[in-house]
Amino acid sequence: MNLHEVFISSINSIRQNKLRSFLTLLGVIIGVFSIISVMTAINVLQKSVESNLNILGTNTFYIQKYPAIQVGGSAHWKYRNRKNLTYDDYLKLKERYSGPAMISAENWHNGDPIKFKDKQTKNSVIIQGVTPEWEFSSGYFLESGRMISRTDMEQMRNVIILGQDVIDVLMPQYNPLGQTVTLRGVKFQVIGTLERKGSIFGQSEDNLVILPLTTHLKMFANRWTSLGYSISVIDMEHFEDVKEEIIFHLRLVREVPLTEENDFEVVSNTSLIDTFNQITGAIKVAALLISSIALLAAGIGIMNIMLVSVTERTREIGIRKSIGARKRDIRNQFLLEALVLTEIGALIGIILGVLAGNLVALSMKVSGVFPIQWAIIGVVVCSVIGVIFGTYPAVKAARLDPIEALRYE
Amino acid sequence: MALLALTNVTKVYQVGAVAVHALRGIDLMVEKNEYVSIMGPSGSGKSTLMNVIGCLDTPTSGTYILDGKTVHDDNIGQNGNGKLSEDELAFIRNQKIGFVFQTFNLLPRITALHNVELPLIYAGIHKKERIEMAKEALRKVNLEDRMHHQPNELSGGQRQRVAIARALVNNPSILLADEPTGNLDSVTSREIMKLMDKLHDEGNTIILVTHETEIAQHAHRIVHLLDGKIDRDETTPKGNS
């Protein structure tokens, strides 16, 4: 009896018991669905992280008091007790370091609306104070007007550059340049506008305004204010060297003893992606665990249903044996039935999982993915489960004595 | 040489601590194109003998040769192929024996044609040839027009004719019918027996197990079993003519 015949006959017997087959499949579907949907979603995130998460630009790293993403909360006090990164430290660092890199400092907050005539923005607008070097490290480009200048810094001028979202809200029909807006009761002159940047993870990148850092600090600094330094390396080849050197100089500026670790965090794209992978890795392990348990349960369900099926079809087995079916014919028939069952489950699980996972892509407006390697793993694992849990019932069927099987009512 | 030769065949079942002697030394020869009935009261060993002849079961001792092939021989050891394996027995059932059962034993939910095809599937015959052979077998039993019906859409007589077609499809050495009319009314029984007679006339060797004298009289020879032994072996009026 060839494989094709066995396959047709197993499809038939699955069709003859539609409801039972579906219920048996459900376990496999859930198991495969959970792993595929999670992996698809993570793949979508990863793809968008790798293409979009150049928050800092590939040639930029960032120094700040707290880590970018904190995994676990126990170390919080360690970070809190660090000295703030100050404007003074920044000036000293710049004075000491003269290598091929632009160092900028910035500070931001939100919660203050910007007012223009009778209109005002929401509190969510980011108000960011920057140094002139920000131009090179930020990834933002001017649409019109000019950037923050050294003179703006020195004189703590009340000048402002607007992001596109802010313009949309305050003055869509005006030329923003030269207009006057109000921030916490202080008048600011608009000297520039930024090009639209779009959004990352569904969050707009254009909902911000830029002030000279000195002005920002004068107005908004308090005892918790700690600046971020962003260092833009001119030649990528020297990225690691520059990083080492800057860390060295900053330690001197902040008088960190040789034996102590850095009292600041260095964040780069690679370190962000590392942290991201660390988190998604944990999610992957969890998904793997859940689907393993689901698939194990599904396997037991399949074994159960196949045992029922063997008992129900004892007479059929007897008939088949009486007309010449060998042991292996019967065994293959039941084994393939279990396999076909699990594979159908795997297929449905993969389709549903990929659809669900790509809903994430849809919501984030990035292109969809098909995690081919996980789909293959899913099919392989299901095959293994089908074989493991299908073998015992199949062997049991093959071993039936033809005379007794024929007599079975 | 006889088509089928049983020499001093015994069969002992172990039921718990008790040994049940179902066959106590059977000597039986059946020639090609013979038409034999096996009769006997229940418990006489009819079914056991049929199972042994049909290679569903093997003797405890004795020799059984079917169509020149040794199925069982005590004097030849395991390695000399005096005792066939389960798969070898399955092969003999597939090639040399056509079963007709009292309860028809068709597979439900597949068509008559597919039921008749089954032995050919296990024989590894290709689909095209297989379907032709199955159709031919159904033609022999006059059921060609019903071949796409499932068993539950057929009458008892029609089902038994499908079963007979299935038994014939491999051109077996013997047709082994176990109470083939046991589940049929008298009119249909007569029809089926007419078909059996016709098949015998066409050259088939038929062994008929029955407890009905009237049915047994269709054969040319009746073997009476009693307590696991052959009690009488007689030629019927048909056999004399």
Side-chain angles (χ1 to χ4, degrees):
Chain A
M1 194 170 183
N2 64 36
L3 212 63
H4 180 70
E5 298 294 342
V6 185
F7 183 73
I8 299 284
S9 106
S10 54
I11 290 279
N12 277 336
S13 98
I14 288 166
R15 274 173 45 196
Q16 280 157 18
N17 288 303
K18 280 196 193 75
L19 179 65
R20 182 205 283 178
S21 301
F22 173 73
L23 291 175
T24 313
L25 283 179
L26 218 51
V28 181
I29 293 173
I30 291 169
V32 174
F33 171 82
S34 60
I35 188 84
I36 295 288
S37 59
V38 168
M39 293 307 167
T40 308
I42 286 178
N43 274 17
V44 167
L45 282 173
Q46 224 151 13
K47 202 173 139 195
S48 106
V49 162
E50 273 155 23
S51 62
N52 274 341
L53 196 76
N54 293 327
I55 293 173
L56 312 172
T58 49
N59 62 337
T60 304
F61 65 94
Y62 207 76
I63 289 174
Q64 56 194 24
K65 184 173 169 184
Y66 294 98
I69 306 168
Q70 285 187 46
V71 186
S74 59
H76 185 69
W77 280 101
K78 177 177 112 187
Y79 304 125
R80 244 189 104 158
N81 289 334
R82 285 169 169 176
K83 281 191 290 176
N84 290 328
L85 291 162
T86 63
Y87 186 55
D88 224 36
D89 288 349
Y90 166 71
L91 292 177
K92 281 184 195 155
L93 177 66
K94 263 192 73 162
E95 209 172 291
R96 298 186 64 102
Y97 180 77
S98 58
M102 301 289 275
I103 308 172
S104 75
E106 55 201 62
N107 188 37
W108 65 271
H109 79 287
N110 55 16
D112 281 310
I114 319 274
K115 292 174 185 154
F116 176 66
K117 296 192 171 161
D118 57 335
K119 293 186 177 135
Q120 76 173 55
T121 64
K122 288 189 180 146
N123 287 348
S124 63
V125 62
I126 290 170
I127 296 151
Q128 192 165 1
V130 305
T131 58
E133 294 87 351
W134 182 81
E135 185 178 356
F136 307 102
S137 61
S138 64
Y140 284 93
F141 297 100
L142 269 183
E143 182 194 50
S144 63
R146 65 172 180 85
M147 273 289 177
I148 304 295
S149 73
R150 211 148 294 285
T151 327
D152 293 335
M153 290 284 291
E154 281 158 11
Q155 300 179 3
M156 301 187 195
R157 280 182 183 157
N158 292 338
V159 291
I160 195 165
I161 300 171
L162 303 184
Q164 288 296 329
D165 285 0
V166 177
I167 296 168
D168 289 346
V169 172
L170 294 183
M171 49 186 87
Q173 67 275 55
Y174 288 86
N175 175 7
L177 290 184
Q179 302 290 348
T180 305
V181 296
T182 316
L183 172 55
R184 223 186 251 186
V186 178
K187 286 188 172 7
F188 279 80
Q189 193 194 3
V190 178
I191 56 166
T193 61
L194 295 172
E195 268 183 21
R196 192 176 290 282
K197 212 176 168 193
S199 51
I200 287 181
F201 300 149
Q203 194 144 27
S204 175
E205 292 266 270
D206 300 306
N207 192 23
L208 83 171
V209 297
I210 303 297
L211 318 178
L213 179 61
T214 45
T215 314
H216 188 274
L217 289 176
K218 181 182 74 186
M219 282 181 71
F220 302 110
N222 54 37
R223 52 182 291 224
W224 295 288
T225 302
S226 178
L227 305 187
Y229 305 154
S230 111
I231 296 94
S232 188
V233 183
I234 290 157
D235 187 351
M236 262 311 273
E237 265 181 51
H238 299 120
F239 189 84
E240 287 304 315
D241 297 342
V242 171
K243 205 159 103 182
E244 288 308 307
E245 225 175 314
I246 297 266
I247 289 169
F248 171 77
H249 286 296
L250 191 57
R251 285 175 67 94
L252 286 181
V253 166
R254 288 166 67 82
E255 295 167 343
V256 181
L258 272 176
T259 52
E260 302 254 313
E261 57 181 44
N262 295 340
D263 64 348
F264 48 85
E265 291 295 318
V266 181
V267 181
S268 62
N269 265 333
T270 42
S271 79
L272 273 179
I273 288 171
D274 283 351
T275 314
F276 175 80
N277 285 342
Q278 215 176 318
I279 294 167
T280 55
I283 297 172
K284 278 182 186 176
V285 169
L288 217 57
L289 212 71
I290 290 167
S291 56
S292 309
I293 293 166
L295 285 176
L296 193 73
I300 295 167
I302 283 166
M303 179 140 116
N304 187 27
I305 221 70
M306 291 311 293
L307 283 172
V308 170
S309 172
V310 168
T311 307
E312 270 185 2
R313 287 155 69 191
T314 298
R315 203 183 174 87
E316 174 189 333
I317 294 162
I319 295 169
R320 286 180 184 274
K321 284 198 159 187
S322 75
I323 59 175
R326 292 160 302 180
K327 272 181 159 185
R328 75 182 95 122
D329 293 321
I330 302 292
R331 189 198 59 210
N332 289 351
Q333 183 187 343
F334 281 89
L335 195 53
L336 202 73
E337 225 165 88
L339 259 178
V340 168
L341 210 57
T342 47
E343 293 309 345
I344 291 173
L347 219 64
I348 296 174
I350 287 169
I351 292 169
L352 293 181
V354 168
L355 286 180
N358 276 317
L359 283 183
V360 177
L362 205 67
S363 70
M364 281 171 32
K365 298 191 178 79
V366 297
S367 59
V369 297
F370 183 78
I372 186 80
Q373 72 275 33
W374 284 105
I376 293 170
I377 290 171
V379 169
V380 170
V381 168
C382 282
S383 309
V384 171
I385 281 172
V387 170
I388 289 176
F389 290 97
T391 297
Y392 175 69
V395 167
K396 198 180 166 199
R399 281 204 190 131
L400 285 177
D401 176 60
I403 298 167
E404 299 206 346
L406 275 172
R407 237 181 255 149
Y408 186 86
E409 291 295 333
Chain B
M1 197 175 147
L3 177 70
L4 178 154
L6 295 161
T7 316
N8 199 22
V9 164
T10 68
K11 180 73 192 181
V12 182
Y13 293 109
Q14 200 68 38
V15 182
V18 188
V20 178
H21 294 263
L23 299 177
R24 300 164 182 264
I26 300 279
D27 293 300
L28 180 66
M29 306 274 247
V30 176
E31 299 294 332
K32 196 167 161 45
N33 198 24
E34 261 199 280
Y35 195 169
V36 183
S37 283
I38 295 174
M39 287 194 75
S42 65
S44 61
K46 281 194 316 264
S47 300
T48 308
L49 181 59
M50 200 203 82
N51 288 339
V52 169
I53 292 174
C55 296
L56 285 167
D57 208 345
T58 51
T60 306
S61 70
T63 311
Y64 175 27
I65 296 169
L66 172 65
D67 200 9
K69 170 93 182 161
T70 304
V71 178
H72 189 92
D73 190 340
D74 282 339
N75 301 320
I76 310 172
Q78 185 91 41
N79 301 332
N81 234 1
K83 284 175 182 156
L84 299 186
S85 71
E86 269 187 55
D87 282 354
E88 285 168 316
L89 289 173
F91 180 75
I92 291 181
R93 289 198 293 271
N94 185 249
Q95 298 290 316
K96 297 190 188 297
I97 292 165
F99 283 103
V100 178
F101 299 97
Q102 177 176 358
T103 50
F104 323 133
N105 278 344
L106 299 176
L107 293 193
R109 302 203 206 87
I110 62 173
T111 62
L113 182 68
H114 195 74
N115 261 297
V116 177
E117 268 183 76
L118 275 177
L120 302 172
I121 290 176
Y122 289 117
I125 290 168
H126 272 285
K127 188 164 186 169
K128 236 177 156 181
E129 198 185 345
R130 201 166 72 205
I131 289 175
E132 274 320 301
M133 289 171 77
K135 280 184 183 168
E136 177 58 33
L138 282 166
R139 206 170 294 141
K140 277 188 195 162
V141 299
N142 277 327
L143 265 184
E144 216 190 348
D145 54 330
R146 302 294 239 162
M147 65 184 178
H148 294 301
H149 292 252
Q150 294 188 355
N152 59 6
E153 300 163 332
L154 299 173
S155 70
Q158 287 171 331
R159 286 184 211 181
Q160 193 58 302
R161 280 195 276 160
V162 174
I164 292 171
R166 182 181 65 189
L168 285 174
V169 74
N170 254 357
N171 294 315
S173 306
I174 39 171
L175 205 58
L176 205 53
D178 183 9
E179 305 275 11
T181 59
N183 276 20
L184 300 173
D185 61 56
S186 60
V187 177
T188 323
S189 293
R190 246 170 271 143
E191 231 174 75
I192 292 295
M193 288 319 295
K194 238 166 96 185
L195 177 61
M196 297 297 265
D197 294 349
K198 187 188 117 195
L199 292 172
H200 171 250
D201 291 342
E202 286 168 7
N204 290 291
T205 311
I206 297 175
I207 297 178
L208 193 66
V209 177
T210 182
H211 65 271
E212 289 178 68
T213 320
E214 196 193 325
I215 298 295
Q217 289 300 330
H218 281 261
H220 296 188
R221 177 183 164 196
I222 300 179
V223 175
H224 294 270
L225 281 190
L226 194 65
D227 297 333
K229 283 190 221 155
I230 292 178
D231 186 44
R232 266 182 303 141
D233 192 340
E234 61 180 11
T235 309
T236 64
K238 275 192 177 174
N240 287 325
S241 58

